[in-house]
Amino acid sequence: MSRSRTLPAELDPSARQLVTRLRRLKDHSELTMRQLAVKTGYSAKSWERYLGGTSLPPREAVEALARITGTDPVPLLALHEIATDLRDDRRARPAAQRQNEQREREGEQPASTAPPHPGPPAARTPPGATGPAPGRFPHLAFTAGVAALAVALSAALLLMLRLDDEVGRAAVTASPRATATSPPPSYTCRIARVDGRWSAGINKGRDTEIVYGATGADVAEAQCLLRRAGISPGGIDGMFGPLTLRAVKTFQDRAGLTVDGMLGPRSWKALRG
């Protein structure tokens, strides 16, 4: 999703804030639309609509993106709930307005349409003693209810934004000592032939499918085998980043495989061959 693409002007503030944060998570993860679809189960075209602001993503899609990027889903889900309520309110409002207009038209029908009925003349209303127009009060009550709902939702949105800002500031000002207590794991390549296949001795010979953005022993195993094949993936750090992605594509092109940057069964077989 391009950063320069503007969101639709008709988006309400909560939906705009939600889409902006989802875009930021996607950009920071450096995942392509195809990789995002593989990891979340929602198609690439669906994510184009979600991140383009033309369609509100389902709750499950928001949770999936938060999960694969390691983000707390609670603030995102709060924005999603507010945006959903506003969308449903906009959809229900035209139908309610049409009902009120119908009631007003029925109440304002001229008395001449009624059949003549003999009887005593009606009492004349004194000048200035005008009563309320029929059907007017339901319309005013509906308008007041909508206004109260909008005020409540706006207050909830401001509260969520304030809480989220406080959490962000606390994360930025956290002591460096806390992060230094959990250093990243280190991996050592022990290249050997096991049962006629190359192994680095890190992931016990698993051929798990991995894609850009993955981390762990499977990635470190692939990095060792890429280095054995004469292609540098950068460091052996267990992180599937840009250098490892370039090394995988180079190996796939050299081995005559589909160059998609994803390590699946065929790519693992060629690496271990």
Side-chain angles (χ1 to χ4, degrees), residues 33 35-43 47 60-61 64-65 67-68:
M33 287 296 186
Q35 293 166 350
L36 195 60
V38 172
K39 286 178 172 289
T40 62
Y42 293 86
S43 67
W47 277 112
E60 292 77 9
L65 182 55
R67 183 180 66 254
I68 66 176

Side-chain angles (χ1 to χ4, degrees), residues 50 79 81 114 125 167 220 237 254:
Y50 302 156
L79 287 173
E81 184 174 355
T125 303
V167 171
D237 55 5
R254 182 185 299 177

Side-chain angles (χ1 to χ4, degrees), residues 228-245:
R228 187 207 67 82
I231 305 173
S232 175
I236 309 300
D237 55 5
M239 300 179 64
F240 201 136
L243 294 179
T244 302
L245 177 64

Side-chain angles (χ1 to χ4, degrees), residues 28 91 149-150 175 185 198 201 212 225 238:
H28 287 177
R91 290 179 176 176
L149 176 61
S175 173
W198 287 110
Y212 182 79
L225 296 178

Side-chain angles (χ1 to χ4, degrees), residues 48-258:
E48 289 177 0
R49 294 195 303 271
Y50 302 156
L51 300 180
T54 59
S55 178
L56 187 65
R59 178 188 178 94
E60 292 77 9
V62 176
E63 291 177 333
L65 182 55
R67 183 180 66 254
I68 66 176
T69 56
T71 304
D72 183 10
V74 174
L76 297 175
L77 294 177
L79 287 173
H80 181 272
E81 184 174 355
I82 296 173
T84 302
D85 290 342
L86 289 176
R87 181 196 61 185
D88 295 342
D89 179 64
R90 285 197 305 269
R91 290 179 176 176
R93 190 180 305 169
Q97 288 179 346
R98 287 194 299 269
Q99 292 178 358
N100 289 331
E101 292 174 357
Q102 180 65 24
R103 294 193 190 102
E104 291 181 1
R105 286 196 298 269
E106 292 176 352
E108 293 173 358
Q109 288 180 352
S112 59
T113 58
H117 184 274
R124 182 173 300 176
T125 303
T130 57
R136 186 63 175 174
F137 284 164
H139 178 71
L140 292 176
F142 174 78
T143 303
V146 171
L149 176 61
V151 171
L153 292 176
S154 299
L157 176 60
L158 290 175
L159 177 60
M160 290 304 304
L161 293 178
R162 181 175 299 174
L163 291 175
D164 189 52
D165 289 340
E166 291 177 356
V167 171
R169 286 195 297 271
V172 171
T173 57
S175 173
R177 185 179 302 173
T179 59
T181 59
S182 57
S186 59
Y187 302 96
T188 302
C189 298
R190 298 181 175 87
I191 302 297
R193 296 284 287 183
V194 179
D195 297 331
R197 304 169 71 220
W198 287 110
S199 172
I202 297 178
N203 75 339
K204 300 180 180 180
R206 293 192 302 269
D207 293 343
T208 305
E209 181 176 303
I210 54 177
V211 297
Y212 182 79
T215 59
D218 294 329
V219 178
E221 177 88 5
Q223 289 172 333
C224 291
L225 296 178
L226 287 168
R227 181 173 290 181
R228 187 207 67 82
I231 305 173
S232 175
I236 309 300
D237 55 5
M239 300 179 64
F240 201 136
L243 294 179
T244 302
L245 177 64
R246 182 174 62 186
V248 170
K249 290 184 176 180
T250 300
F251 176 80
Q252 289 175 329
D253 182 62
R254 182 185 299 177
L257 301 172
T258 301

